[in-house]
Amino acid sequence: MEEAAGKGRTMGDNPEDCPVCLTNFDDIVQRPRNLPCGHTVCTLCIDKLKEQGRVTCPECRISHAVPEGGQFPVSYIAEALIRMMRDAKVATAALSPPSAGKGKEAAEAADKKEATGFSKKMRSFLQEQEATVVAAITACREARSQLDQYQTTLTGWGERQQHLEDRLQGLVDQSRSARGLVQQEKSRTTAMEVKVKEVEQALQAMQETLHTLKTEQEAGVVVTEVFRCTGEAEQVVQECQECFPDASTVTTARKVREASSAALEAAQAVQAALETPSSVTSEEPRPLSNPAEPRPLSDPAELSSQSHPEELSSQSGSEEPRPQSASEKLQVQSDPGSTIMDRVKLILTLNLKAKDLRSLSQPALSLMQAGRVFAVHQVKGQRRLARISLEAGQLCLHTLKEQHHSLDAATLQVSQLVPPSPPCTVFLDLSWPGSSPRRVQIHLSPDTLRGRQIMMMCTGQRGPSYLNTRLNKVEDKGKPGEWVMVGDLKRLQDGKGASVLPPDLDEGEYWKSGRAGAVHGLVWKDSTLGVCGAFGICTRDCLGGEEPNLVFGEVVDGLHVVAEAAQHSSIMEVTVVDCGMVL
């Protein structure tokens, strides 16, 4: 009866079967393929139906031309639906006890297992193993689906890259053509130069002849020759003025040169980005903002729009174990719940720009909240990092340190964030026994040597910084004009803190101010001490005539913190626990 039912089945009754051979579609040989009319037939049957480069649909009888590749497109939607149907059936069969199965197939399976003599415990164990196999099959299919999506993305990138190569090749061809035009113009100019030189030499000879004339008859002959030579010279000069330069050649050469220079700069940025290792790992898995199915991503050139040209130094030793490569660390540390495309998106997200930080875009905000954004500074092979944070709505660049960042961190160059000189706002976090760290913000006035020095000491760009230094002393404590000296000179001159700037610090636009909060430079008998970064902060208003005269900034927030520190029993216990710049 089952055989008769199979013979009586019509095309399209079972979506899992090919309507021609009535055999289940599979993922290897009998893949479902879409005909232009919308019907689906397996690969083997389509091959058998091919006649003289055409295939007639077995259901609607419409004839279709075979594509250039020799095969009609695979129906990925049909494959996915069939896979889901099969998984559902297998899972139902695996999780349901044989005795609870509905229908003839479930009863036969139960009878078969009972006939083998398996105990109830063994049957339960086998069902668990079958469920494990089903889960593994589902995982494999999910992995293939992810690889297929990734392959689609890579294909799109490859096509875009080929398009870029074609355009670059076109630019190279234009450059060669422009060089040829320039060479032709050069040859034409050389020929004209020779012609002008010959006329000039003839005129010089004529001038010498005029100096040697003795008779009027000779003069008459020479004058006629003079008219001829000067006329020829005028014609040559006029031709030179009219024919040079060739506007088309000059314009073409300029445009091609500018385009080539721009392309070369972009290529150098790409090369710098490629030399910077990047990978995506996640010690603390974080869900993506869009968990929907990923789409093919954009041009891989986007990865290089924010380049990091620093070079990383490496050390190797025969006794030390080989460090893991980025790919190895990815396999070990990446979030097992994330997909391949999730990690691709994360890699692209790590490619932050300065404008992304300043605009507080969602990727930048998420990375900063996770403490995974750093600025990189490298001088003479020394590579240091500065953490970037968002505090009270302000972007803060903390001082540079010799530290390492996680592989899933985003990095930018310090030069992209820090101005070359003031005006800017820097900060110091002060702490003393019994007090938690509190922040003091100082606005530095337009460029002065002292202001530039304080900026570099807060960011650590030249090496030393105020980090872990102590306040030095309090002058006029409790009186008008009270001020605190910042900068542990002893520590800064112990060999680790070299001079930041030349000793001639008093040049520039300074002013006087006796108001509390004024930041001023200090005058030393020993001029070498001033270059180590010490400065004063007024905590009380001064009396008339006693204002400091080297003021270059003011405290814009946290003056009360400095005032409280001045009242502490020992000013030397007040420590700068952090410093940096407000971006």
Side-chain angles (χ1 to χ4, degrees):
M1 292 179 64
E2 290 181 3
E3 183 178 356
K7 290 181 179 180
R9 182 173 52 185
T10 60
M11 295 182 181
D13 285 347
N14 190 349
E16 298 181 56
D17 295 346
C18 170
V20 178
C21 62
L22 301 180
T23 305
N24 288 348
F25 291 118
D26 62 27
D27 299 330
I28 303 174
V29 179
Q30 293 181 269
R31 303 189 71 178
R33 295 189 178 271
N34 283 336
L35 296 175
C37 59
H39 293 109
T40 305
V41 183
C42 75
T43 304
L44 293 180
C45 290
I46 286 183
D47 291 339
K48 294 177 182 179
L49 293 172
K50 290 179 183 177
E51 291 182 5
Q52 297 180 352
R54 302 188 69 84
V55 169
T56 300
C57 176
E59 296 201 36
C60 65
R61 310 308 298 173
I62 296 178
S63 179
H64 307 288
V66 178
E68 289 185 2
Q71 287 290 357
F72 291 90
V74 174
S75 177
Y76 294 106
I77 295 179
E79 282 191 342
L81 291 173
I82 293 170
R83 190 181 304 123
M84 291 174 60
M85 293 172 63
R86 291 176 181 170
D87 291 345
K89 291 180 180 179
V90 173
T92 301
L95 298 176
S96 301
S99 58
K102 295 182 180 181
K104 186 176 180 179
E105 294 181 358
E108 289 180 351
D111 293 341
K112 184 176 180 181
K113 288 187 176 180
E114 291 179 359
T116 58
F118 289 140
S119 64
K120 183 177 180 180
K121 185 175 181 180
M122 176 58 71
R123 288 198 301 272
S124 176
F125 176 74
L126 292 177
Q127 289 174 5
E128 292 177 358
Q129 298 307 307
E130 186 176 0
T132 303
V133 172
V134 170
I137 292 173
T138 303
C140 290
R141 288 175 176 171
E142 176 61 25
R144 284 197 298 112
S145 176
Q146 292 185 28
L147 291 172
D148 184 64
Q149 293 177 16
Y150 186 42
Q151 188 177 36
T152 301
T153 299
L154 293 176
T155 300
W157 284 354
E159 292 174 353
R160 292 169 185 264
Q161 197 64 36
Q162 181 62 53
H163 179 62
L164 290 174
E165 288 180 16
D166 294 341
R167 293 176 61 186
L168 288 173
Q169 185 59 50
L171 182 59
V172 171
D173 295 340
Q174 290 179 4
S175 178
R176 289 174 179 169
S177 177
R179 185 157 51 90
L181 290 176
V182 170
Q183 190 62 39
Q184 291 178 8
E185 184 72 353
K186 183 178 179 181
S187 300
R188 198 165 67 93
T189 304
T190 301
M192 180 57 71
E193 184 181 10
V194 171
K195 191 174 182 180
V196 172
K197 186 176 181 180
E198 290 176 351
V199 172
E200 182 185 356
Q201 290 174 348
L203 289 172
Q204 290 176 346
M206 188 62 61
Q207 183 182 19
E208 293 176 1
T209 301
L210 289 172
H211 291 165
T212 61
L213 293 177
K214 296 180 179 179
T215 64
E216 291 184 1
Q217 184 178 4
E218 291 179 349
V221 174
V222 171
V223 168
T224 302
E225 188 66 19
V226 168
F227 289 153
R228 185 190 66 79
C229 287
T230 54
E232 183 179 355
E234 291 176 358
Q235 182 179 356
V236 170
V237 171
Q238 183 179 1
E239 182 181 354
C240 181
Q241 295 294 334
E242 293 177 352
C243 297
F244 298 93
D246 182 83
S248 176
T249 298
V250 173
T251 302
T252 301
R254 177 183 62 80
K255 290 182 178 180
V256 172
R257 184 173 62 253
E258 291 176 352
S260 300
S261 298
L264 182 59
E265 290 177 1
Q268 290 173 342
V270 171
Q271 184 61 34
L274 292 176
E275 291 175 355
T276 302
S278 63
S279 62
V280 46
T281 61
S282 178
E283 298 174 357
E284 298 180 4
R286 300 179 181 274
L288 295 177
S289 58
N290 181 15
E293 179 176 337
R295 58 176 177 81
L297 299 178
S298 56
D299 193 340
E302 295 173 2
L303 288 170
S304 64
S305 59
Q306 178 63 36
S307 60
H308 311 304
E310 71 276 1
E311 297 179 2
L312 303 179
S313 59
S314 61
Q315 298 179 351
S316 61
S318 57
E319 298 180 359
E320 297 181 358
R322 180 181 65 83
Q324 287 180 308
S325 66
S327 60
E328 291 172 335
K329 291 182 178 180
L330 170 63
Q331 294 173 359
V332 174
Q333 300 180 11
S334 61
D335 178 7
S338 64
T339 66
I340 294 175
M341 295 308 299
D342 289 339
R343 293 192 285 275
V344 171
K345 285 184 176 181
L346 180 55
I347 292 173
L348 296 178
T349 302
L350 296 181
N351 185 39
L352 288 181
K353 303 177 183 178
K355 65 179 182 181
D356 296 327
L357 287 181
R358 299 187 189 280
S359 64
L360 295 180
S361 65
Q362 184 58 46
L365 188 60
S366 299
L367 287 170
M368 279 190 293
Q369 290 173 343
R372 302 206 306 266
V373 181
F374 293 86
V376 181
H377 187 258
Q378 182 163 331
V379 177
K380 297 181 180 179
Q382 183 185 24
R383 184 174 185 267
R384 295 182 299 153
L385 302 175
R387 183 172 61 89
I388 300 175
S389 64
L390 181 64
E391 303 176 20
Q394 291 182 319
L395 281 176
C396 299
L397 175 77
H398 300 259
T399 191
L400 289 159
K401 301 178 183 178
E402 293 182 2
Q403 56 184 324
H404 299 284
H405 62 76
S406 60
L407 293 176
D408 58 349
T411 58
L412 299 90
Q413 286 293 297
V414 169
S415 58
Q416 295 176 280
L417 303 169
V418 177
S421 60
C424 62
T425 300
V426 297
F427 67 85
L428 303 171
D429 288 351
L430 304 182
S431 179
W432 57 90
S435 172
S436 58
R438 288 184 287 174
R439 179 154 297 181
V440 179
Q441 292 190 6
I442 301 172
H443 179 74
L444 302 176
S445 62
D447 196 14
T448 61
L449 287 178
R450 289 180 183 270
R452 198 184 313 171
Q453 179 190 53
I454 302 307
M455 181 187 77
M456 292 180 179
M457 294 290 289
C458 285
T459 60
Q461 287 175 269
R462 293 291 180 88
S465 74
Y466 291 120
L467 181 64
N468 296 327
T469 62
R470 300 179 183 274
L471 303 194
N472 296 74
K473 62 179 180 178
V474 182
E475 290 288 344
D476 299 325
K477 186 172 182 178
K479 302 177 181 179
E482 176 188 83
W483 61 275
V484 176
M485 190 172 92
V486 181
D488 189 340
L489 302 182
K490 186 176 181 180
R491 176 187 179 276
L492 293 175
Q493 287 194 315
D494 63 359
K496 296 182 180 180
S499 297
V500 179
L501 290 175
D504 193 9
L505 295 174
D506 296 342
E507 296 183 0
E509 297 293 333
Y510 297 96
W511 70 92
K512 287 187 176 182
S513 175
R515 294 180 55 186
V519 177
H520 58 87
L522 306 177
V523 179
W524 305 91
K525 294 180 180 180
D526 183 355
S527 61
T528 61
L529 295 179
V531 301
C532 292
F535 63 94
I537 298 178
C538 292
T539 53
R540 294 173 182 249
D541 292 341
C542 298
L543 297 177
E546 298 182 1
E547 299 91 345
N549 59 0
L550 289 174
V551 176
F552 57 89
E554 63 176 335
V555 176
V556 294
D557 188 27
L559 180 60
H560 64 287
V561 177
V562 186
E564 289 183 29
Q567 301 306 312
H568 185 63
S569 58
S570 174
I571 192 65
M572 293 295 293
E573 291 183 346
V574 181
T575 306
V576 178
V577 295
D578 197 4
C579 56
M581 174 182 290
V582 178
L583 300 178

